Amino acid sequence: MCGIFAYLGPRKNAAEFVIHGLTKLEYRGYDSWGVAYDEGIKLGIYRQIGKISDYDPVKTKFPESTMALGHSRWATHGGVTVANAHPHTNSDSTIAIVHNGIIENFDELKKELVDKGYVFKSQTDSEVIAHLINEYCKTMDFEKAAKEAMKRFEGRYAVLAMKAGERKIIAARRGSPLIVGIGNNEYFVASDIPAFLEYTRKVMYLDDNQLVVLNNGTHFFDITTGKPVEKRVVEINWKTESAEKGNFAHFMIKEIMEQKDTIYRAINQEDSEIEKIAEEIKKAYGTFLIGCGTAGKVCLAAEYIFAKVAKRHVNVVVGSEFPSHQDFLKEKSLVIAVSQSGETADTLEAIEVAKKKKSKVLSIVNVEGSTMDRESDYSLHIKAGPEKAVASTKATTSQIAILTLLAYACDGRLQEGKTLLIDTAGKINDMLNPRYEEHIHALAEKIQHHESMYVIGKAVNYAIALEAAIKLQEVSYIHAEGFAGGELKHGPIALISEGTPCIVLVSNGDTRTDILNNAREVKARGGFIIGVAPQNEEVFDYWIKVPDVGIASPIVNIIPIQLLAYHLAVLRQNNPDMPRNLAKSVTVK
Ligand code: F6R
């Protein structure tokens, strides 16, 4: 939620430079944006509603500057207006801040400042930051004032601050991600690495409750104690092109197609590591799988996979609901957090709850160095590479692959699991060809004007039906719902009318007969049956073939739905990479 980025160095076009970096973070928020740059005695401020990628460098030029900070917003407090867009400033625009997260005690701080005569120009929680720093600047220098102010903010935040004429960027983190990039005599600080990946691979991670002062070096401090903290430089090995679209029209389709490789990468783990974690699962007194949105649906799929493969029960709870389950946690419990970004606030809160109860935490994350990665007892990286489209695709299937591998390892059959997943990866490679995509595009053309559609599945495909509905909703904006096939007759079947598209997820095995019967029930009420299945069945009006890969079927069954969602979005003239109202990384509760 919200991307923030600052630059300090010899380049003279700091404002444009920050804007360029922010375009790489736009997936984090895209309803408005802004930049502040140092002009010596005051700061230049430029804010706009809309997407930062619409910025035209020919039309809007900025004066020379070597220090700037900027923000791409996903609104939380206050509507989408220029006044609410960041950066926010003190009254004479000599101090500017950008903020990601929520200042939970902003009401109380605002009251205190209003009583002192401060006038607020926005409806945001963030503006208090600029005014509070200003207040402290009356009796101390900017660096000290910023440090004092940061101590007072409650909630999750990442903040960047600068002052006119002071060659310094101050960046503070409590809960929301912040990473420093070290260039050649220049410094970057951003909520995610792609903002500066073109310029350096040397990074330093801010941990929670830390602040960094960037001037002629990097100086880290603990926010609460004010004491200096030692940090090390980490070399990351991301390729620049993996964070770019290349020849694809959108990141979403690029990332769907990458699934030809990403399953291989996900399962390419040290056997000893997988076995060690499997042992932790086996000896745990209750295993809880936690995730939000798509990651939550992955957890549900894993519940079925663990039951089938390892004959083991795992509990599934969505991140935001997990605190209500804490009474079940014991020291010997294991919490497995599943997350692409490793920064989702609800999942992080679940981890905090687990840690308070002294339970062990395993994270399955894509973003290495993310908060979850660093705050867990164990961590498995799915190695899918940067996922930029808001709708998760390649991370989803990689998470399912790793959890399948763990289930096999729990049953002492790790190599069998690997063989199955390698075979599945090969079949995905065969499947993702242009003819396949055309077949799905043709279906999208057929159903694009429908107002509602449904997805049904049984057992592990029930979890995939729920995930399919998320994919369709978020990028096509068609009302879509997923159900367990058997549940339809208990109510939802009333929603089926003549021609209503209903996707039926089928895999061979003991669930096939039941789910096909459910499909017949829908067809008898006029539903248009789209079958995702290894073979064509008489009940299907439109068949999408998927390979028969046994228990790995959730991986192959979701891919055609990802493609369908993408093509529906494009046909309906939606931007699949940046769906309305959403953000890639949900760092607020
Ligand atoms: C949907 C989607 C979201 C995320 C959710 C959790 O396509 O991407 O539902 O799955 O916000 O995000 P992570 O996995 O980063 O914790």
Side-chain angles (χ1 to χ4, degrees):
M1 306 279 58
C2 305
I4 60 181
F5 180 42
Y7 171 79
L8 183 142
R11 297 173 203 253
K12 297 205 164 48
N13 58 343
E16 282 97 342
F17 186 82
V18 163
I19 292 173
H20 177 70
L22 284 175
T23 60
K24 313 279 173 180
L25 298 182
E26 202 174 18
Y27 66 90
R28 299 179 65 87
Y30 36 83
D31 55 41
S32 50
W33 62 278
V35 62
Y37 46 94
D38 185 27
E39 289 189 304
I41 43 164
K42 66 173 185 54
L43 302 173
I45 308 283
Y46 184 84
R47 299 185 294 182
Q48 285 286 301
I49 288 176
K51 294 194 171 68
I52 198 163
S53 38
D54 294 339
Y55 157 72
D56 181 349
V58 178
K59 277 200 199 136
T60 313
K61 297 257 180 240
F62 293 93
E64 274 191 7
S65 171
T66 54
M67 179 173 82
L69 49 75
H71 185 274
S72 168
R73 181 170 189 242
W74 187 86
T76 55
H77 286 61
V80 181
T81 60
V82 170
N84 288 337
H86 296 221
H88 291 286
T89 59
N90 60 342
S91 15
D92 63 1
S93 291
T94 50
I95 296 171
I97 64 95
V98 286
H99 166 222
N100 170 26
I102 291 180
I103 304 293
E104 283 172 5
N105 58 338
F106 89 97
D107 257 342
E108 158 197 333
L109 294 171
K110 184 169 175 179
K111 189 169 174 310
E112 181 183 316
L113 290 160
V114 168
D115 288 348
K116 289 197 161 99
Y118 283 86
V119 178
F120 281 72
K121 300 160 283 201
S122 77
Q123 300 158 308
T124 64
D125 53 332
S126 314
E127 196 182 337
V128 290
I129 304 170
H131 293 310
L132 192 65
I133 298 177
N134 181 89
E135 179 61 19
Y136 285 125
C137 276
K138 289 179 180 165
T139 53
M140 51 190 93
D141 66 33
F142 169 60
E143 182 177 324
K144 242 177 150 207
K147 285 177 174 166
E148 280 309 305
M150 298 308 167
K151 281 187 198 164
R152 296 211 44 207
F153 303 130
E154 287 167 16
R156 290 178 183 278
Y157 64 79
V159 170
L160 308 179
M162 69 181 198
K163 185 163 190 268
E166 288 240 10
R167 203 146 174 78
K168 222 170 243 183
I169 299 277
I170 296 187
R173 167 190 176 149
R174 265 191 184 151
S176 303
L178 264 187
I179 301 139
V180 174
I182 316 284
N184 199 1
N185 277 329
E186 56 186 0
Y187 300 94
F188 321 94
V189 56
S191 23
D192 201 356
I193 293 169
F196 53 73
L197 188 61
E198 283 170 61
Y199 316 105
T200 184
R201 284 183 171 67
K202 288 196 181 110
V203 305
M204 296 173 92
Y205 291 101
L206 271 114
D207 283 309
D208 250 357
N209 204 35
Q210 288 182 349
L211 172 151
V212 63
V213 179
L214 303 174
N215 46 17
N216 293 325
T218 55
H219 312 279
F220 287 79
F221 300 89
D222 181 284
I223 294 180
T224 316
T225 63
K227 292 205 172 119
V229 202
E230 285 293 315
K231 299 297 281 191
R232 61 187 185 94
V233 177
V234 179
E235 192 96 30
I236 49 153
N237 57 8
W238 286 12
K239 293 199 186 85
T240 322
E241 28 334 332
S242 60
E244 302 296 340
K245 272 201 298 254
N247 292 330
F248 290 94
H250 298 99
F251 279 108
M252 184 172 175
I253 187 69
K254 175 191 175 230
E255 290 161 5
I256 292 172
M257 291 303 169
E258 279 179 338
Q259 291 171 110
K260 292 174 180 176
D261 299 318
T262 45
I263 304 297
Y264 286 118
R265 292 215 296 268
I267 60 170
N268 186 14
Q269 308 278 345
E270 290 293 329
D271 286 358
S272 56
E273 195 59 19
I274 295 289
E275 274 156 356
K276 184 179 88 190
I277 289 165
E279 278 313 308
E280 292 296 329
I281 297 174
K282 277 157 68 180
K283 69 176 198 227
Y285 189 91
T287 302
F288 293 82
L289 279 167
I290 314 295
C292 298
T294 289
K297 307 301 176 258
V298 166
C299 295
L300 188 60
E303 182 187 350
Y304 285 98
I305 296 169
F306 269 82
K308 188 98 185 155
V309 175
K311 314 283 177 289
R312 184 164 287 278
H313 176 66
V314 291
N315 303 280
V316 176
V317 189
V318 295
S320 54
E321 290 296 318
F322 190 66
S324 311
H325 289 68
Q326 57 183 300
D327 292 336
F328 299 120
L329 285 178
K330 306 266 177 301
E331 279 191 28
K332 286 186 179 162
S333 306
L334 174 67
V335 169
I336 304 182
V338 180
S339 174
Q340 188 286 128
S341 61
E343 301 293 351
T344 300
D346 290 325
T347 315
L348 281 171
E349 193 190 23
I351 291 180
E352 270 167 34
V353 165
K355 286 177 107 176
K356 274 198 192 120
K357 293 274 180 173
K358 300 197 169 54
S359 306
K360 287 254 158 59
V361 178
L362 160 69
S363 286
I364 298 183
V365 293
N366 190 30
V367 179
E368 297 181 24
S370 58
T371 309
M372 281 179 219
D373 188 18
R374 285 174 302 124
E375 295 203 344
S376 304
D377 300 295
Y378 314 97
S379 200
L380 276 177
H381 300 146
I382 63 169
K383 301 188 253 187
E387 191 181 68
K388 300 285 283 287
V390 164
S392 179
T393 54
K394 60 178 179 169
T396 312
T397 48
S398 293
Q399 289 160 348
I400 302 174
I402 262 198
L403 283 157
T404 306
L405 204 59
L406 280 172
Y408 272 95
C410 281
D411 202 46
R413 296 187 284 144
L414 175 58
Q415 295 315 321
E416 191 185 325
K418 264 201 173 158
T419 309
L420 168 70
L421 291 162
I422 290 170
D423 178 55
T424 306
K427 287 180 173 151
I428 292 172
N429 193 23
D430 297 341
M431 184 171 122
L432 284 174
N433 60 53
R435 259 185 51 210
Y436 196 75
E437 206 187 333
E438 264 166 41
H439 183 59
I440 289 174
H441 182 82
L443 172 63
E445 280 187 326
K446 225 176 169 57
I447 64 172
Q448 60 175 310
H449 300 300
H450 278 270
E451 281 179 1
S452 286
M453 56 195 297
Y454 300 96
V455 192
I456 59 171
K458 190 171 170 67
V460 73
N461 280 316
Y462 160 48
I464 299 308
L466 299 181
E467 164 53 11
I470 296 190
K471 257 346 48 113
L472 293 163
Q473 292 157 358
E474 67 184 333
V475 297
S476 78
Y477 312 154
I478 295 176
H479 167 240
E481 277 189 74
F483 296 107
E487 274 294 288
L488 280 191
K489 55 186 177 293
H490 299 291
I493 202 156
L495 298 168
I496 306 294
S497 58
E498 199 54 42
T500 307
C502 178
I503 300 173
V504 183
L505 304 175
V506 186
S507 43
N508 287 340
D510 50 9
T511 57
R512 178 174 160 266
T513 308
D514 281 352
I515 195 70
L516 289 176
N517 280 336
N518 299 144
R520 285 183 196 103
E521 290 156 14
V522 176
K523 185 149 177 155
R525 273 100 190 152
F528 176 73
I529 307 296
I530 301 154
V532 174
Q535 62 277 321
N536 202 355
E537 308 278 356
E538 98 297 334
V539 66
F540 295 164
D541 294 305
Y542 202 98
W543 174 42
I544 301 173
K545 187 175 179 178
V546 285
D548 185 355
V549 290
I551 193 69
S553 71
I555 300 178
V556 295
N557 283 357
I558 192 61
I559 293 176
I561 313 295
Q562 296 170 345
L563 281 170
L564 180 62
Y566 172 77
H567 282 282
L568 281 169
V570 173
L571 284 167
R572 290 165 63 94
Q573 296 183 351
N574 303 338
N575 180 347
D577 286 347
M578 292 181 191
R580 67 183 179 203
N581 305 339
L582 293 173
K584 179 73 180 158
S585 189
V586 188
T587 55
V588 290
K589 283 205 289 172

